[in-house]
Amino acid sequence: MAMRLIPRRRRFRAAILIARAAVPFVRRTQAFQEQRKGNVDGVREIALHLVLNTLTKNGTCFDPLITVNGNEELESALAAGRGVLLLSPHMTLSLLMVRLFHDAGHNPVVIAADPQMRVSGTTLAADTMQPSPMFLVALRTRLRKGQFVLGMPDRGEHSEGRTIEFDTANGRIILAPALMQVAARCAAHVIFLKVYIEGCEVVATMVRPSPASLGSRDAITEDFIEFVQTHVESRFGHNN
């Protein structure tokens, strides 16, 4: 593909430019319609995701350039030797962070439906765990072993007794608190993640829940809801 003619160090920047130019076309695709149902991404994030996902699937390597805020929170949690659960809504660019963590030697386990998922911009397979009837037991085991897990607790459909819904400036979001429940029971560290485009840059921000919520599933869930609502309001609350 043509992107392989561009030096690897420049491919990520080129992908951002291509995605920006492709926005009018991306809006008309079925892939865009599917991704926008998450209510947390704008068209630029979705467009860039589609470009980068195509590169990864075709074996065209690239190196993400991401401005990361709050990395010290993650490093502190990982250094403590306990399990770490990194929670993000289904943001299309959040999986880019798997690459950054991989490059830093952390190699998180990603909760993902696709067992063949690759680490972004490489030909390497990501370490994944798939939802199943015993999924939460497997998650508990991993966290108790001190492993680093990336999960996305928002859902596409409501499940009676298992999910809750909350409003945002861009529509309602369905959330399954089970991941928070397992983390609280394991006394694992919990960190929230969001990844988005700001100007011409991809920005990632990681924050911890409030200290008062530690060990409480309900409090962590409430903090995560506020985290998502605040982000969506900043992106869509004024027709951004």
Side-chain angles (χ1 to χ4, degrees):
M1 78 191 298
M3 188 69 84
R4 291 179 180 170
L5 300 177
I6 300 174
R8 176 168 171 163
R9 68 183 184 279
R10 297 181 181 175
R11 288 175 187 168
F12 191 75
R13 292 291 188 195
I16 292 177
L17 295 175
I18 292 169
R20 182 187 298 176
V23 162
F25 306 99
V26 167
R27 289 183 184 274
R28 298 196 291 267
T29 66
Q30 183 63 33
F32 171 73
Q33 298 303 323
E34 289 297 321
Q35 294 290 348
R36 72 192 300 265
K37 291 178 181 178
N39 291 335
V40 291
D41 280 322
V43 65
R44 290 184 63 196
E45 284 83 8
I46 295 173
L48 180 57
H49 162 71
L50 295 175
V51 172
L52 296 177
N53 192 46
T54 298
L55 294 178
T56 299
K57 285 186 174 181
N58 284 279
T60 302
C61 297
F62 60 84
D63 300 312
L65 300 172
I66 304 176
T67 299
V68 180
N69 302 313
N71 191 60
E72 67 279 0
E73 298 286 1
L74 176 64
E75 293 295 339
S76 174
L78 291 171
R82 286 156 48 192
V84 176
L85 179 62
L86 185 66
L87 293 174
S88 169
H90 272 82
M91 292 179 160
T92 54
L93 299 181
S94 61
L95 293 179
L96 281 176
M97 296 302 291
V98 177
R99 169 62 185 282
L100 267 64
F101 300 145
H102 180 273
D103 289 350
H106 297 317
N107 300 326
V109 179
V110 184
I111 301 172
D114 180 10
Q116 305 300 321
M117 189 183 81
R118 290 183 180 178
V119 177
S120 295
T122 77
T123 58
L124 302 173
D127 187 358
T128 64
M129 59 186 301
Q130 284 66 54
S132 70
M134 297 299 292
F135 158 68
L136 293 177
V137 175
L139 173 62
R140 181 186 64 190
T141 299
R142 287 181 178 272
L143 291 176
R144 285 180 173 172
K145 288 182 177 180
Q147 294 186 14
F148 175 26
V149 180
L150 171 59
M152 301 178 186
D154 51 321
R155 296 291 179 263
E157 296 180 355
H158 180 64
S159 178
E160 189 66 33
R162 296 183 179 181
T163 60
I164 58 177
E165 296 184 59
F166 62 93
D167 290 316
T168 75
N170 197 40
R172 293 180 67 78
I173 289 178
I174 301 171
L175 180 70
L179 298 183
M180 291 79 156
Q181 181 178 18
V182 172
R185 288 180 176 176
C186 296
H189 290 282
V190 176
I191 297 176
F192 301 153
L193 166 70
K194 59 181 180 179
V195 186
Y196 53 96
I197 295 175
E198 189 71 58
C200 297
E201 304 289 331
V202 176
V203 179
T205 298
M206 291 181 282
V207 300
R208 287 184 187 248
S210 63
S213 71
L214 296 180
S216 169
R217 175 199 68 177
D218 293 338
I220 293 174
T221 300
E222 291 173 2
D223 280 1
F224 185 75
I225 289 173
E226 182 179 357
F227 173 78
V228 174
Q229 287 175 324
T230 300
H231 171 74
V232 175
E233 173 67 28
S234 70
R235 308 297 291 176
F236 300 99
H238 302 287
N239 297 317
N240 287 347

